[in-house]
Amino acid sequence: MHRPSPSSARAPFDSAIQTLATERKGLETLEQAFSGPLGEAFVQAVNRIAGSSSRLVVTGIGKSGHIARKIQATLASTGTPSLFLHPAEAAHGDLGMIAPGDVILAFSNSGETTELAAVLTYATRQKHCVIAITSVATSALARAAQIPLVLPTSTEACPMGLAPTTSTLLQLALGDALAIALLEKRGFTARDFGAFHPGGLLGARLRPISDLMHTGNALPLGQGSLPLRSVILEMTHKSFGCMGVIDDKGVLQGLITDADLRRAISGDLDTTRAEDIMNPAPVTASADTLAQDVLQLMNQRERPITSLFIVDDARHPAGIVHIHDLLRSGLS
């Protein structure tokens, strides 16, 4: 049986290390380029896109097209209205997807992609702003763009220098940087992100707790003067394993849990009052707290909380959430 020599067995490992080293050097060169014209053009691009009341039309073909699709998806999910336009389809009617005022973001490593010609001609005729991401400052794409983002010269990781590797990585990194800069400029929040990602674990984490909490008559509440016998009845009826203690104005004053009841059950059920056994400083959250943060709040203690009251600014109970509500929503 043929056994590979130690050197041949190690070859894939060495190849991977070389690829990563080459691409890392490319990223370092890109970062350094931001201290020059690329950085200035980048700021212009961010301001131009953020200042537009219309959409960002992202286009590219081949490997650059794949990168463009990913960046467009990232932009859309982080608050920049955008769409992907296939340049070949654009020449066959899809130019109609470009609306007045749209800004065009075009990806092409060489900047000489013939399929982009129809898009660039149309953009010039209709006076659309074109932002280009390319590696060649003298290319047709760079010349047609109002804001050319010219990537620094880099070495492809492919040993033949043919397969787009480092060049597409730099396009991806610059596109991501653009999306994040726009996110920050728009003041895009986790709540906004959650609105665009309602599905799966991410959607569950980013839901406000107000979407999950129980309200109204479901809340286990009673005043501090309530005898222990009535506290037991209220807790049993509402099935949250706790009862919130409120004053005459409905302000939350404390919390009684099953554990508090067990410690007090040997006392007189009619003379012992809710206020005698309550915890006067219960953990609470506001209605706009994200579900993932509530789960963390409930689990971060030595003895995890199973139910938590949601209160308004005046500490009036607005709802209650049980740990099972969070788990059923998809959080884990």
Side-chain angles (χ1 to χ4, degrees), residues 304-315:
I305 299 169
T306 56
S307 292
L308 184 139
F309 273 96
I310 311 302
V311 299
D312 62 19
D313 292 341
R315 289 190 64 78

Side-chain angles (χ1 to χ4, degrees), residues 259-281:
D260 297 320
L261 275 183
R262 287 193 295 271
R263 286 190 291 268
I265 202 70
S266 60
D268 190 307
L269 299 184
D270 294 313
T271 59
T272 304
R273 305 296 177 185
E275 60 192 3
D276 298 331
I277 66 169
M278 72 180 187
N279 170 10

Side-chain angles (χ1 to χ4, degrees), residues 2 24 26 46 68 70 75 120 175 184 191 209 241 291 300 311:
H2 173 72
R24 181 178 65 249
V46 171
K70 185 276 175 188
L75 287 161
L120 296 178
E184 293 176 346
R191 178 178 289 274
I209 200 61
Q300 69 184 8
V311 299

Side-chain angles (χ1 to χ4, degrees), residues 261-331:
L261 275 183
R262 287 193 295 271
R263 286 190 291 268
I265 202 70
S266 60
D268 190 307
L269 299 184
D270 294 313
T271 59
T272 304
R273 305 296 177 185
E275 60 192 3
D276 298 331
I277 66 169
M278 72 180 187
N279 170 10
V283 177
T284 61
S286 60
D288 60 353
T289 306
L290 298 181
Q292 64 176 4
D293 295 331
V294 171
L295 181 62
Q296 182 179 5
L297 188 63
M298 296 174 78
N299 284 330
Q300 69 184 8
R301 287 166 157 52
E302 183 178 342
R303 304 184 75 175
I305 299 169
T306 56
S307 292
L308 184 139
F309 273 96
I310 311 302
V311 299
D312 62 19
D313 292 341
R315 289 190 64 78
H316 296 111
I320 188 171
V321 63
H322 193 277
I323 188 70
H324 291 162
D325 298 318
L326 297 170
L327 298 179
R328 279 193 296 267
S329 74
L331 285 171

Side-chain angles (χ1 to χ4, degrees), residues 249-268:
K249 296 181 179 179
V251 176
L252 187 68
Q253 298 294 302
L255 182 74
I256 299 172
T257 66
D258 284 333
D260 297 320
L261 275 183
R262 287 193 295 271
R263 286 190 291 268
I265 202 70
S266 60
D268 190 307

